[in-house]
Amino acid sequence: MSASQTRTLADLKELAAQTPDLAEAPKHEPKRDSLGRSYATGRRKNAVARVWIKPGKGEISINGRRAAQYFARPVLRMLITQPFLVADRYNQFDVTCTVTGGGLSGQAGAVRHGISRALTYYEPDLRGILKVAGFLTRDPRVVERKKYGRAKARRSFQFSKR
């Protein structure tokens, strides 16, 4: 072995012998306002939901109406309760939110995203569970724009030979 190789091996052994000071992961503090609520914004397609959560009986209010009245389809109601079910916090928080833009499906997705983010602000320990479930990721899919010379985004006008 050459001198440089011997020196490199010695450096590597010294490096391996050193035990690094493992600092603990930073503890995130809960973000709550003076009323004990956590706020988050959720987005999906063109819908934007502003969500406030606070401890309560599990009542969900959307644009001043109850969730069952606003989202008539059971699938949409199931979608907005998923974060609570995954985090094992069902019927423990009251949710108040305002939603604008998009259709009902996009709005339900925006509310779910907002609830998930607000839960992580209220209880930072829930972040791992909600992240693995995929509720903290904003779904980037949006409607493709219409192009000129086309009937829609990709559909061309009907062709006629005569």
Side-chain angles (χ1 to χ4, degrees):
M1 266 198 231
S2 69
S4 63
Q5 287 178 333
T6 309
R7 182 68 192 142
T8 304
L9 286 174
D11 289 343
L12 289 175
K13 287 179 184 176
E14 288 174 19
L15 186 63
Q18 293 178 356
T19 55
D21 295 332
L22 296 175
E24 290 185 21
K27 295 286 182 185
H28 295 285
E29 294 294 321
K31 296 179 185 175
R32 299 179 191 152
D33 63 7
S34 59
L35 300 174
R37 304 175 302 182
S38 285
Y39 168 79
T41 305
R43 293 183 183 88
R44 169 85 166 90
K45 294 187 178 179
N46 280 336
V48 178
R50 302 182 322 163
V51 179
W52 290 267
I53 66 165
K54 64 179 181 179
K57 300 175 185 172
E59 297 174 1
I60 300 176
S61 170
I62 300 158
N63 289 350
R65 293 193 278 174
R66 303 191 72 195
Q69 187 182 3
Y70 194 84
F71 293 121
R73 283 187 273 169
V75 173
L76 300 179
R77 287 196 303 268
M78 178 203 68
L79 201 70
I80 62 175
T81 58
Q82 280 179 334
F84 295 119
L85 295 172
V86 168
D88 199 28
R89 300 287 188 273
Y90 191 65
N91 286 342
Q92 293 182 17
F93 288 96
D94 287 342
V95 178
T96 306
C97 64
T98 57
V99 192
T100 56
L104 285 177
S105 177
Q107 288 184 351
V111 171
R112 180 178 84 165
H113 186 227
I115 288 172
S116 302
R117 289 179 65 183
L119 271 174
T120 60
Y121 293 147
Y122 196 87
E123 291 184 51
D125 297 336
L126 297 177
R127 182 171 173 80
I129 298 166
L130 294 170
K131 189 156 180 72
V132 168
F135 296 153
L136 297 178
T137 306
R138 191 245 195 255
D139 192 348
R141 297 176 295 172
V142 292
V143 177
E144 190 175 351
R145 76 173 190 88
K146 184 197 176 301
K147 281 82 172 184
Y148 56 87
R150 296 275 175 175
K152 292 167 57 175
R154 298 187 179 201
R155 190 201 188 295
S156 56
F157 295 110
Q158 182 173 343
F159 175 76
S160 175
K161 198 166 193 175
R162 303 177 208 256

